């Protein structure tokens, strides 16, 4: 019953650790000073694109660091306790990781996209708690993830582009990541090697294999 | 042409996920039909996102010390999440159709997964409930046949209506497809339809008849709720 005092003590102890950790961090990590500020870092959108295209764990970690304290604040307000707020962080960030390819930078800010994911996760959590509703309704109510229906009138270029995307998607994962990194994100082979943690030579050979495969596919379909 | 829209505070509560599920479904169904409200929702969503993520007051609401996961928990969670595969399965978007009075009606997308129970008729009124657990709120499709009406009534709770097909009139105006109507105990009305209509409704309580012999009409009140 009278656990509240213990709990408060725990919180205090944790807050203490936290502020010590924060001081450590400030000394070690001065480069990231800008992102430690509470303003929105301009890289958010690029991080989402990196997660989508090359499953970049570092970019995801940056996203996690920026969003999780804010999701927690939202969660405590909406769901009323810390355990559920933590669950909301997990649900939201899992969906960010799994659905990053559905983020479209032309359609809105990264913060807006993550907000809709957080809101949907929170809505379905509340329903699970309140009414044991099994059906996940939020994505139907706010169709954030609805696949874009192809425009009825498509220009030749778009069709070709789309076909190209399909070919690229059919490549083996390792080759796909290289093609996407080089052609969609315009990374240098060196940058990509660093990001994927493989030697530059591997990037070169994967790229060669992938391009040969794409050429073959395009040749075949042009017959 | 849609003339009746949810008020701005309803749209804001909708965007923040604070409306009950059934009311959210009705607002979403209106937004799906209404370009004006789509733009509003977009705008409000961007604003809400800004206030959730841009504010410089991370610590204000929680108090002095931000309650945060320890560094180790955080890394665990990141490891666990990044081990998952991306979700590439495409989302089911085929429209769902139901037969109303032997005509097919396309349901709003928000109702894609909600089961519609069987129709029950009473004179020119018929209704089918949706199987959606939402406290005391009940959501139904209400069909009023040509020339039908609901006797003059008011609402003990509130009633949200979205006109899906046809049109109707009451003391306050003329309504056509896509119109969103929010009524409560302050409103008394008698909806009448010339051509017949189908509405999506959510009520929080039985309606209350203000004219005639209420005991006879009470079953209708419960029927419509």
């Amino acid at each position: 019953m009278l656990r509240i005092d213990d709990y408060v003590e725990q919180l205090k102890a944790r807050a203490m650790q936290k502020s010590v950790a924060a001081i450590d961090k400030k000394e070690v990590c001065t480069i990231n000073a800008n992102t430690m500020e509470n303003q929105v870092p301009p890289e958010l959108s690029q991080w989402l694109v990196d997660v989508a295209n090359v499953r970049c764990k570092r970019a995801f970690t940056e996203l996690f660091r920026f969003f999780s304290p804010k999701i927690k604040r939202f969660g405590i307000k909406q769901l009323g306790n810390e355990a559920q707020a933590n669950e909301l962080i997990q649900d939201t960030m899992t969906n960010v990781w799994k659905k990053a390819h559905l983020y479209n930078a032309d359609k809105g800010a990264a913060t807006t996209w993550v907000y809709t994911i957080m809101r949907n996760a929170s809505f379905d959590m509340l329903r699970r708690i309140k009414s044991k509703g099994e059906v996940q309704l939020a994505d139907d109510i706010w169709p954030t993830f609805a696949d874009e229906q192809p425009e009825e009138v498509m220009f030749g270029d778009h069709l070709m582009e789309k076909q190209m995307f399909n070919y690229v998607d059919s490549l083996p994962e390792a080759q796909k990541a290289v093609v996407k990194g080089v052609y969609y994100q315009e990374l240098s082979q060196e940058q990509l090697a660093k990001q994927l943690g493989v030697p530059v030579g591997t990037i070169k050979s994967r790229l060669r294999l992938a391009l040969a495969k794409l050429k073959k596919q395009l040749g075949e379909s042009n017959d | 042409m849609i003339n009746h829209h949810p008020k701005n505070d309803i749209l804001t509560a909708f965007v923040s996920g604070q409306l009950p599920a059934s009311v959210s479904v009705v607002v979403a169904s209106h937004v799906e039909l209404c370009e004006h409200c789509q733009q509003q929702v977009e705008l409000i969503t961007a604003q809400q996102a800004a206030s959730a993520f841009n504010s410089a007051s991370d610590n204000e609401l929680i108090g002095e010390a931000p309650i945060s996961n320890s560094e180790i928990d955080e890394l665990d969670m990141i490891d666990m999440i990044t081990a998952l595969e991306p979700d590439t399965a495409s989302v089911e978007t085929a429209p769902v159709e139901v037969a109303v009075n032997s005509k097919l009606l396309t349901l709003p997308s928000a109702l894609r997964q909600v089961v519609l129970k069987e129709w029950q008729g009473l004179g020119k009124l018929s209704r089918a409930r949706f199987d959606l657990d939402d406290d005391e709120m009940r959501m139904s499709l209400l069909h009023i046949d040509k020339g039908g009406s609901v006797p003059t009534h008011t609402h003990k709770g509130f009633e949200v209506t979205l006109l899906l097909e046809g049109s109707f009139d009451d003391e306050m105006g003329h309504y056509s497809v896509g119109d969103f109507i929010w009524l409560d105990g302050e409103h008394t009305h008698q909806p009448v339809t010339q051509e017949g209509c189908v509405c999506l409704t959510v009520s929080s309580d039985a309606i209350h008849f203000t004219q005639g012999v209420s005991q006879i009409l009470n079953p209708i009140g419960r029927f419509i709720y």
Side-chain angles (χ1 to χ4, degrees):
Chain A
M1 286 283 275
L2 282 172
R3 283 291 173 80
I4 291 169
D5 287 344
D6 293 349
Y7 183 61
V8 170
E9 281 309 312
Q10 275 176 22
L11 285 187
K12 273 186 196 160
R14 226 196 273 187
M16 195 83 98
Q17 280 175 1
K18 182 70 194 172
S19 54
V20 171
I23 291 165
D24 286 351
K25 214 188 271 172
K26 238 176 229 164
E27 282 169 1
V28 178
C29 173
T30 43
I31 308 153
N32 275 342
N34 276 336
T35 47
M36 298 304 288
E37 296 283 341
N38 282 310
Q39 70 216 15
V40 175
E43 303 92 332
L44 283 183
S45 187
Q46 188 54 48
W47 288 335
L48 276 178
V49 173
D50 289 350
V51 169
N53 289 344
V54 290
R55 316 306 299 158
C56 176
K57 191 171 167 182
R58 261 189 54 194
F60 182 76
T61 306
E62 297 287 359
L63 289 168
F64 194 99
R65 293 252 154 86
F66 174 76
F67 282 111
S68 61
K70 296 157 199 285
I71 295 171
K72 183 149 192 171
R73 187 176 56 181
F74 181 90
I76 287 175
K77 218 160 61 179
Q78 299 277 62
L79 305 161
N81 69 60
E82 201 193 337
Q84 278 164 0
N86 282 335
E87 204 179 312
L88 182 65
I89 294 177
Q90 182 161 352
D91 282 9
T92 306
M93 293 313 293
T94 300
N95 279 334
V96 167
W97 173 255
K98 288 169 83 171
K99 293 169 196 264
H101 57 286
L102 296 172
Y103 166 66
N104 182 347
D106 299 336
K107 286 194 139 183
T111 44
T112 307
W113 189 73
V114 175
Y115 177 83
T116 59
I117 288 186
M118 171 181 75
R119 185 262 327 273
N120 288 16
S122 160
F123 184 87
D124 279 335
M125 264 181 76
L126 261 183
R127 267 189 65 70
R128 276 202 304 270
I129 298 161
K130 261 179 60 181
S131 54
K132 297 164 188 72
E134 293 293 319
V135 183
Q136 306 257 311
L137 271 184
D139 287 352
D140 288 338
I141 292 175
W142 298 280
T144 326
F145 311 124
D147 285 351
E148 289 289 304
Q149 292 298 318
E151 300 280 325
E152 278 182 29
V153 187
M154 271 186 117
F155 298 108
D157 282 351
H158 288 173
L159 260 179
M160 205 198 269
E161 213 168 85
K162 200 171 177 224
Q163 217 169 353
M164 198 68 203
F165 285 146
N166 287 340
Y167 288 143
V168 171
D169 276 336
S170 69
L171 291 171
E173 285 301 324
Q175 294 174 18
K176 188 162 58 179
V178 173
V179 170
K180 286 190 168 174
V182 171
Y183 290 97
Y184 298 4
Q185 289 183 278
E186 297 174 358
L187 293 174
S188 73
Q189 298 190 358
E190 287 73 23
Q191 282 174 316
L192 201 57
K194 216 166 157 193
Q195 205 168 73
L196 297 177
V198 296
V200 179
T202 310
I203 299 287
K204 284 189 201 298
S205 65
R206 281 183 192 168
L207 192 59
R208 211 169 34 237
L209 281 172
L211 291 181
K213 218 171 276 180
L214 289 175
K215 251 183 222 158
K216 198 172 159 222
Q217 259 171 325
L218 281 174
E220 277 168 1
S221 66
N222 278 342
D223 286 344
Chain B
M1 163 105 189
I2 300 175
N3 284 314
H4 300 267
H5 306 271
K7 289 195 184 118
N8 219 44
D9 53 351
I10 294 174
L11 283 182
T12 304
F14 168 71
V15 167
S16 346
Q18 282 162 345
L19 293 178
S22 53
V23 180
S24 298
V25 165
V26 183
V27 175
S29 306
H30 170 81
V31 171
E32 189 180 9
L33 296 170
C34 177
E35 222 170 284
H36 168 75
C37 289
Q38 279 163 28
Q39 286 167 6
Q40 289 298 109
V41 163
E42 228 170 87
L43 197 76
I44 297 169
T45 309
Q47 286 166 353
Q48 297 288 97
S51 80
F53 295 140
N54 296 18
S55 74
S57 57
D58 265 4
N59 308 341
E60 265 173 25
L61 280 166
I62 305 176
E64 281 290 296
I67 309 168
S68 181
N69 308 314
S70 72
E71 199 74 351
I72 293 158
D73 289 347
E74 197 171 75
L75 291 177
D76 276 353
M77 205 190 271
I78 291 171
D79 282 344
M80 209 192 70
I81 292 172
T82 52
L84 298 169
E85 290 295 310
D87 190 356
T88 48
S90 63
V91 183
E92 181 61 54
T93 50
V96 174
E97 290 183 323
V98 292
V100 184
N101 203 25
S102 69
K103 261 176 70 186
L104 277 183
L105 173 79
T106 304
L107 287 183
S109 324
L111 287 162
R112 196 175 292 134
Q113 299 182 77
V114 187
V115 175
L116 185 66
K117 299 190 205 171
E118 73 277 20
W119 286 90
Q120 303 195 341
L122 192 73
K124 292 196 171 188
L125 297 176
S126 45
R127 74 99 178 103
R129 288 220 169 101
F130 283 101
D131 192 5
L132 182 75
D133 186 4
D134 191 17
D135 293 336
E136 77 286 2
M137 255 80 67
R138 292 185 189 171
M139 180 160 67
S140 317
L141 280 186
L142 184 66
H143 170 242
I144 311 177
D145 213 354
K146 285 184 191 112
S149 83
V150 182
T152 304
H153 63 273
T154 183
H155 305 274
K156 283 197 240 169
F158 65 85
E159 179 191 67
V160 189
T161 304
L162 179 71
L163 192 46
L164 293 178
E165 196 169 86
S167 65
F168 74 86
D169 296 87
D170 69 8
E171 293 82 341
M172 291 166 276
H174 175 78
Y175 307 96
S176 42
V177 170
D179 276 335
F180 177 94
I181 308 136
W182 184 300
L183 297 176
D184 56 29
E186 289 173 20
H187 309 89
T188 298
H189 72 154
Q190 181 183 17
V192 180
T193 176
Q194 301 295 330
E195 54 168 327
C197 66
V198 182
C199 299
L200 172 64
T201 68
V202 169
S203 311
S204 67
D205 203 344
I207 65 173
H208 177 69
F209 291 95
T210 57
Q211 285 178 6
V213 187
S214 57
Q215 277 190 331
I216 297 172
L217 292 173
N218 270 342
I220 306 179
R222 282 200 295 275
F223 176 77
I224 292 174
Y225 167 50

